Amino acid sequence: ETGVTQSPTHLIKTRGQQVTLRCSSQSGHNTVSWYQQALGQGPQFIFQYYREEENGRGNFPPRFSGLQFPNYSSELNVNALELDDSALYLCASRAGLDATEAFFGQGTRLTVV
Amino acid sequence: DAKTTQPPSMDCAEGRAANLPCNHSTISGNEYVYWYRQIHSQGPQYIIHGLKNNETNEMASLIITEDRKSSTLILPHATLRDTAVYYCIVRLPSGSARQLTFGSGTQLTVLP
């Protein structure tokens, strides 16, 4: 149990729809990253938030966007869903940009049909 | 961040040591070696990290070769619960947007 919670755990959406995934970071952790993990692959970095500002982004299109709130919880929004967006979405929190260890949540399994 | 190469799968008998290799021949002088594992249907879990000296914690030992081009993660007494995908990651230790770059990892299966 890492203290990082994600909701929902599973979700089914239709192609073209929009989805919002949520992450509650571990207490005191001001840095949150989001990853996409396709079946059989390692997690791929989407973006990172530090103190409510986006602080780095991977190779994902603009329809992937996010927010971080004053309590450091975070949201991942995906617009115009495509079938290839079906994946496990993981949230990881750290105690700061210099923190060594990232704590991952259990993930949200998104299926796009 | 430097690229890593790991075998896709390994088996280990329960109670024996599991030795998971990783090649990182393009590692730069200030990059650390990190190990994470992912048990099925869970998020990745941090195991250990090191720069050039061998490291040990309650979960595992990390042996880094003198030239730092490869490393080995050692689980001294593997249990069935250690069955997971193990990821070796090379990255700078801190600062800005240093995300974790995961490869495909090694699927370790601990056999009874």
Side-chain angles (χ1 to χ4, degrees):
Chain A
E1 191 67 39
T2 63
V4 179
T5 57
Q6 294 186 241
S7 62
T9 55
H10 295 82
L11 197 56
I12 299 175
K13 287 287 191 178
T14 302
R15 189 172 51 183
Q17 284 188 313
Q18 178 267 342
V19 69
T20 297
L21 310 181
R22 295 177 175 82
C23 172
S24 177
S25 60
Q26 188 162 323
S27 178
H29 284 194
N30 57 19
T31 305
V32 174
S33 302
W34 286 91
Y35 291 79
Q36 179 196 65
Q37 186 173 24
L39 202 60
Q41 307 287 324
Q44 301 298 307
F45 174 71
I46 302 174
F47 45 56
Q48 175 174 278
Y49 278 83
Y50 171 66
R51 293 187 174 181
E52 303 179 58
E53 297 283 334
E54 186 178 295
N55 181 248
R57 188 177 184 93
N59 189 26
F60 280 82
R63 59 189 185 85
F64 285 78
S65 63
L67 281 174
Q68 187 178 31
F69 299 100
N71 66 354
Y72 303 135
S73 66
S74 179
E75 287 183 354
L76 164 65
N77 300 290
V78 187
N79 294 321
L81 283 167
E82 301 176 359
L83 297 180
D84 285 348
D85 295 333
S86 295
L88 179 68
Y89 288 85
L90 294 159
C91 166
S93 78
R94 291 188 288 146
L97 291 178
D98 292 340
T100 298
E101 186 176 349
F103 295 83
F104 283 81
Q106 299 276 63
T108 293
R109 173 71 63 188
L110 173 66
T111 302
V112 182
V113 298
Chain B
D1 294 335
K3 183 178 177 179
T4 62
T5 304
Q6 300 177 251
S9 64
M10 293 181 63
D11 292 340
C12 176
E14 188 178 19
R16 304 297 294 268
N19 297 284
L20 294 100
C22 179
N23 286 320
H24 32 79
S25 58
T26 60
I27 192 171
S28 63
N30 55 351
E31 286 182 312
Y32 281 65
V33 179
Y34 285 75
W35 284 84
Y36 278 75
R37 74 179 182 183
Q38 188 173 21
I39 296 170
H40 183 61
S41 298
Q42 297 184 20
Q45 175 192 24
Y46 166 83
I47 301 173
I48 198 167
H49 76 287
L51 181 62
K52 55 184 177 181
N53 297 320
N54 298 338
E55 301 287 345
T56 296
N57 63 20
E58 65 279 3
M59 289 183 67
S61 294
L62 174 60
I63 309 297
I64 302 173
T65 57
E66 191 169 343
D67 64 8
R68 303 207 327 117
K69 293 184 177 182
S70 65
S71 61
T72 301
L73 179 75
I74 301 172
L75 307 179
H77 305 286
T79 71
L80 299 180
R81 286 176 294 181
D82 292 322
T83 292
V85 178
Y86 287 77
Y87 296 100
C88 170
I89 298 165
V90 174
R91 53 164 277 184
L92 292 173
S94 64
S96 68
R98 284 296 172 183
Q99 73 275 12
L100 298 168
T101 303
F102 291 85
S104 298
T106 295
Q107 171 66 59
L108 175 68
T109 302
V110 181
L111 304 170

